[in-house]
Amino acid sequence: PEVVTQMLAFLFARLATLPPRRQTDVLSGIGNSGLSEAYERLVPYLRAKRNIVRSRAYWALRFIKLPAVDTHLVKALQTDKSTSVRRSALSAMGFRRLSKDNIVAQVRAMLHDKDPSIRESAMKTLWQRASDQPAVRAAVEKLAKADPDSRLRESANKLLTLD
């Protein structure tokens, strides 16, 4: 544990001195560790001004097994203005335990996100993990009938017919 603590301290000290593109590499490494000890030190990067850094910080949370992580991911998916950040939060959710809040946030993204790629990713992620949930099936049916993006309607219809 002491070696791990020292390693994290070293990485976070180095992180602060790097340009944004290099910060993303270090954030990925920290995230791959899945260490709960990294959580508090990652949180400030969730508010980074650069989308690329914020995006990677959310992705770095995916393996950290703390309930607070889900709160951050849900908030980012629902409120961040950057498509890349919302996409990272959504992707990270795919590695997390499915919870009611997680499912609700993804269903909302599936139905209401302004970016069709986010709506489609949410649909595919949820379908793969929770197609037995009535709310998920209903949301996919709604997309199949009424999404403004014809490609997404087609994709939703394919999922429904494969079931």
Side-chain angles (χ1 to χ4, degrees):
E2 186 177 327
V3 172
V4 171
T5 303
Q6 290 173 349
M7 185 183 297
L8 281 176
F10 170 78
L11 288 173
F12 277 105
R14 178 116 168 99
L15 186 61
T17 67
L18 296 172
R21 286 258 177 226
R22 297 290 297 147
Q23 284 181 337
T24 61
D25 296 335
V26 176
L27 286 168
S28 289
I30 292 167
N32 287 340
S33 75
L35 296 169
S36 298
E37 295 88 344
Y39 169 74
E40 290 294 331
R41 308 229 17 215
L42 283 169
V43 169
Y45 292 92
L46 302 177
R47 296 183 297 272
K49 290 183 180 181
R50 306 274 310 241
N51 292 341
I52 190 169
V53 173
R54 210 165 58 253
S55 177
R56 194 58 61 97
Y58 280 105
W59 176 245
L61 294 174
R62 71 195 179 283
F63 296 134
I64 297 175
K65 295 180 180 359
L66 294 173
V69 168
D70 293 310
T71 302
H72 287 292
L73 295 174
V74 166
K75 183 178 178 187
L77 181 59
Q78 292 177 341
T79 65
D80 203 284
K81 291 181 175 156
S82 167
T83 299
S84 67
V85 172
R86 293 193 314 277
R87 185 176 293 113
S88 287
L90 177 61
S91 295
M93 284 179 163
F95 288 87
R96 312 282 303 161
R97 181 185 61 79
L98 277 177
S99 66
K100 181 181 175 187
D101 290 341
N102 188 306
I103 292 172
V104 168
Q106 289 184 65
V107 166
R108 281 188 186 140
M110 185 191 323
L111 294 174
H112 303 293
D113 197 278
K114 62 186 173 195
D115 189 292
S117 70
I118 299 288
R119 294 195 309 271
E120 184 171 26
S121 291
M123 175 186 72
K124 288 180 176 179
T125 299
L126 272 178
W127 191 259
Q128 199 170 39
R129 298 181 72 206
S131 61
D132 61 330
Q133 299 289 322
V136 172
R137 183 168 197 80
V140 173
E141 288 171 350
K142 186 172 183 176
L143 285 181
K145 292 177 186 169
D147 193 87
D149 186 276
S150 63
R151 192 180 57 75
L152 186 49
R153 286 193 310 271
E154 183 180 326
S155 185
N157 275 305
K158 281 182 184 176
L159 286 180
L160 292 167
T161 58
L162 293 174
D163 189 36

